[in-house]
Amino acid sequence: MPTYVTLLNWTDQGVQNYKDTAKRAEAFAAAAQKLGAKLLNIYWTVGPYDLVAVVEAPDEETATATLLQLGGVGNVRTTSLRAFGQEEMDRIVAKAAG
């Protein structure tokens, strides 16, 4: 299943409610599952991003719907990156090499 690395920053609302961040992560995991995606991991980070989430989804539409729903709550803004595992990258390289 395709994997997405999502970089998250808290909005003003999100940082004001920082005490609920673990509960919000659990709610996000449950919401993702209902849409057919899966939250594999979430990390709270120090630096330019406040959190990093690793999400699996069957397709880009599901991943986008999941992250739109998360952003719609108003606690975070997201930047998502499609990530490729080693097996996927091996197939890509083989295809590119002809």
Side-chain angles (χ1 to χ4, degrees), residues 30-54:
Q33 190 170 17
K34 286 182 182 177
L35 292 172
K38 182 177 182 183
L39 176 62
L40 297 179
N41 282 301
I42 190 162
Y43 303 96
W44 287 261
T45 58
V46 176
Y49 297 97
D50 298 312
L51 303 102
V52 176
V54 182

